[in-house]
Amino acid sequence: MIQEQLVIINKLGLHARAAAKFVGVASSFASSIRIGNQNKMVDGKSIMAVMMLAASKGTTLDIEVEGDDADQAYSAIAELVSNRFDENE
């Protein structure tokens, strides 16, 4: 299992479009993906759950990835976040 932290760095945070991109990437992998914080972890493949985190810019989120393709899944998610969800700011 991979357990890491990611910081949301895009201007608008994990809003609807960014959440949809996150879920799209997460859903393309077989691994179980959970995201959140110590108070609340949610299914990273559920758009409603991810949006309910209401993660604004600067929020640190815990991510847990478990499965056969966990390394690839985490790398793809980390790249998406570091690329600011491909948004022009």
Side-chain angles (χ1 to χ4, degrees), residues 2-65:
I2 297 172
Q3 293 179 308
E4 294 290 337
Q5 291 187 322
L6 296 173
V7 177
I8 303 300
I9 59 174
N10 61 311
K11 183 179 177 181
L12 298 175
L14 199 50
H15 60 94
R17 190 171 27 254
K21 286 183 180 184
F22 183 96
V23 170
V25 170
S27 295
S28 69
F29 295 95
S31 290
S32 168
I33 299 170
R34 297 189 45 82
I35 186 169
N37 56 42
Q38 61 188 12
N39 299 325
K40 181 179 185 179
M41 294 295 286
V42 300
D43 181 0
K45 296 180 182 182
S46 167
I47 185 73
M48 292 305 292
V50 172
M51 285 180 59
M52 292 297 287
L53 292 172
S56 59
K57 181 178 181 177
T59 300
T60 299
L61 293 174
D62 298 321
I63 184 163
E64 298 174 350
V65 185

